[in-house]
Amino acid sequence: MRRLALSVFTACGLALLTACGSSGGYGFATTSGNSSIDNVVFTNGSAQSNNFFVTLGGEAPLQISALGQKGSGPFATVVPDATFTWSGRFVDPSIDSASVASYTTGAVPNASKPCPKVPATTPAVTIFQQDPTNLSKPPYAGYSPLPAGQPASTVFVGTVGTFTTSLPPVFVPVLPATGATGYCVVIVAKHVGDGVIGTKTVLVTTGQP
């Protein structure tokens, strides 16, 4: 899926996505972003382009963007301006499928590694959005929770945790299970137009993936 997205960008050029299409096929210029798609492709904003991971307790969350895709194979095209609603949960390797309970790392072709076991506490997974008015609040200055059901094409995922009831509230991050170096969360993007769902497993780790 990731190699397919890269081939689209290579053929069209990221800055020219809205002008790239195929004669007699599914063209960008005549398609509404929230009409219909066949699948979801994920990209991230980190330098580690093939690794979807975030450092536990780090200073910045991981940027994740979802793209709607029409068709399959080498002639698949990106649907511009597609938006999605987002959610997330912890991955439990004891019950989740192998495709969900593993993460990828390294250059293409990616290596696949099993997710660590689930932590003892699993609060709700927060999806973040950029918020320049939030300059000091934990866990990330410049970000705030994305309201449930609010459409977006790009979101941010970071350390999962809870806030104390003290004033001011203190963010307490979830720690990995005993003997583990991290945990995985699965991020779900649901296309606003037709409900097509895509998932991406993200590793939250105390070190490198």
Side-chain angles (χ1 to χ4, degrees), residues 81-107:
D81 304 323
T83 57
F84 305 81
T85 55
W86 298 79
S87 61
R89 65 171 179 82
F90 280 80
V91 171
D92 187 344
S94 67
I95 60 175
D96 280 316
S97 66
S99 62
V100 171
S102 62
Y103 62 94
T104 54
T105 181

Side-chain angles (χ1 to χ4, degrees), residues 17 20-38 68-71 75-80 82 191 194:
L17 283 177
C20 178
S22 57
S23 177
Y26 192 88
F28 291 112
T30 59
T31 304
S32 170
N34 284 325
S35 54
S36 66
I37 63 174
D38 293 324
Q69 194 175 71
K70 194 72 175 177
F75 300 105
T77 55
V78 172
V79 179
H191 186 233
D194 55 11

Side-chain angles (χ1 to χ4, degrees), residues 2-3 6 44 47-53 103-113 208-209:
R2 197 169 292 110
R3 278 179 287 178
L6 291 174
N44 71 51
Q48 304 293 331
S49 60
N50 299 306
N51 298 337
F52 284 76
F53 78 95
Y103 62 94
T104 54
T105 181
V108 175
N110 297 319
S112 180
K113 296 183 179 180
Q208 291 296 311

Side-chain angles (χ1 to χ4, degrees), residues 1-9 14 17 28 37-45 49-50 52 63-73 76-79 82-84 86 152-155 187-191 196-201:
M1 188 72 82
R2 197 169 292 110
R3 278 179 287 178
L4 180 58
L6 291 174
S7 68
V8 172
F9 294 154
L14 184 58
L17 283 177
F28 291 112
I37 63 174
D38 293 324
N39 52 68
V40 182
V41 175
F42 294 91
T43 63
N44 71 51
S49 60
N50 299 306
F52 284 76
Q63 177 182 318
I64 299 180
S65 297
L67 302 171
Q69 194 175 71
K70 194 72 175 177
S72 61
T77 55
V78 172
V79 179
T83 57
F84 305 81
W86 298 79
S153 58
T154 297
V155 297
I187 305 304
V188 180
K190 183 178 181 180
H191 186 233
V196 171
I197 290 175
T199 64
K200 172 56 63 178
T201 298

Side-chain angles (χ1 to χ4, degrees), residues 22 77 88 122 166-167:
S22 57
T77 55
T122 54
S166 61
L167 294 176

